Amino acid sequence: MLTVHDLTVAFGPTTAVRDLTLHAGTGTVTGILGANGAGKTTTLLGIHHRVPRRTGRITLDDQDVTAYDTTALVRAGIALCPENRRLFPNLTIEDNLLLGAYGQGRVTCRRRLERIYGRFPWLHGRRDEAAGRLSGGQQQTVAIARALMSEPRLILLDEPSSGLSPVAVDEVGQVLHDIAAEGTTMLLVEQNVRLVETLCTTAYVLAHGRITAHGPVAELLGTDTVSDAYLGTA
Ligand code: ATP
């Protein structure tokens, strides 16, 4: 499904991601683990072409999408659910959702909204409320639903559990589990080990912009590479 080959992203003198190669198979949930500043967010932003890449080739199934801009990547089936949710707190829930289908016609937007409301009936009931009034977990669900509005084949998720209570993490985990069960492929940046254990089959460990380990989650978790990566001592 997604292959990233030799991705390098630099911000001036700082090389945030260096020669990164990874693969996410169709229908799988692949984790990206690592300490603060390891380059996880930059990896997702680099794949989604939201930051300039120095090098790198991206393929989606057999399609070379390297030259695609973000809008074209969304059309090709890749959605990003960004760090800190990035909702517009003063806009209504429905308007936030509609941003995920930006550029689509009225009929398509309506059809996709109905699908989202079918999946999350409580969102329908609160669709005219400002998104900023929702709890953190509910806002994360809106952010995921906004990503679903582009009807993606692959979702790039950046720390969906960030800042949430344990109960909210479980709720968001269930939402992601259901989406994965329908066959949507996911690349999940996450610091919450339990969420990674529950959702991911395989994972990559990043330290200082490079992949330091890769394998089945059950084998990776508990290894020194992972604890070093989390503690930032790698
Ligand atoms: P966190 O868990 O804290 O979000 P991360 O693993 O996602 O960390 P990145 O946000 O990708 O890490 O950052 C990787 C490196 O790139 C860090 O050294 C960071 O300071 C640097 N960096 C990220 N974005 C920029 C930017 N826009 N300009 C300059 N440096 C940046």
Side-chain angles (χ1 to χ4, degrees):
M1 141 72 69
L2 176 79
T3 303
V4 178
H5 192 73
D6 267 345
L7 177 69
T8 298
V9 178
F11 302 103
T14 309
T15 302
V17 170
R18 193 186 294 271
D19 298 332
L20 181 142
T21 293
L22 63 77
H23 178 75
T26 304
T28 61
V29 184
T30 304
I32 301 182
L33 318 174
N36 290 339
K40 306 179 300 296
T41 295
T42 307
T43 299
L44 297 189
L45 296 180
I47 293 169
H48 218 223
H49 228 163
R50 288 173 188 249
V51 291
R53 309 175 192 130
R54 193 158 280 180
T55 63
R57 197 157 63 83
I58 316 287
T59 55
L60 185 66
D61 295 326
D62 292 330
Q63 202 178 356
D64 188 332
V65 297
T66 307
Y68 287 25
D69 64 12
T70 302
T71 307
L73 287 170
V74 172
R75 289 225 177 87
I78 307 180
L80 173 74
C81 189
E83 192 170 23
N84 300 324
R85 309 183 253 286
R86 301 259 176 239
L87 296 181
F88 289 90
N90 297 323
L91 291 186
T92 63
I93 290 169
E94 184 155 299
D95 284 343
N96 271 282
L97 291 174
L98 284 168
L99 288 170
Y102 185 77
Q104 299 292 330
R106 227 176 58 87
V107 174
T108 303
C109 285
R110 208 63 245 168
R111 183 175 47 77
R112 292 185 184 180
L113 269 180
E114 294 311 322
R115 198 170 291 172
I116 293 294
Y117 291 146
R119 177 193 279 277
F120 306 108
W122 67 270
L123 278 183
H124 184 256
R126 301 186 66 175
R127 64 192 181 281
D128 293 327
E129 282 183 39
R133 289 174 54 94
L134 299 177
S135 70
Q138 290 169 333
Q139 289 192 29
Q140 185 59 58
T141 301
V142 174
I144 294 166
R146 179 184 57 189
L148 290 174
M149 283 289 287
S150 66
E151 303 206 325
R153 289 185 285 154
L154 166 69
I155 308 181
L156 311 174
L157 287 147
D158 199 346
E159 298 211 30
S161 79
S162 167
L164 301 186
S165 69
V167 172
V169 172
D170 286 346
E171 284 167 12
V172 167
Q174 188 59 50
V175 167
L176 295 177
H177 180 272
D178 292 346
I179 295 167
E182 288 162 13
T184 305
T185 308
M186 294 189 212
L187 198 53
L188 175 69
V189 162
E190 190 45 75
Q191 304 247 16
N192 185 308
V193 174
R194 210 160 55 80
L195 204 54
V196 171
E197 258 179 328
T198 316
L199 291 170
C200 299
T201 38
T202 57
Y204 292 83
V205 180
L206 262 184
H208 308 297
R210 292 178 187 275
I211 289 169
T212 53
H214 165 230
V217 165
E219 287 176 22
L220 272 184
L221 292 177
T223 62
D224 285 349
T225 319
V226 171
S227 36
D228 286 352
Y230 272 89
L231 295 169
T233 52

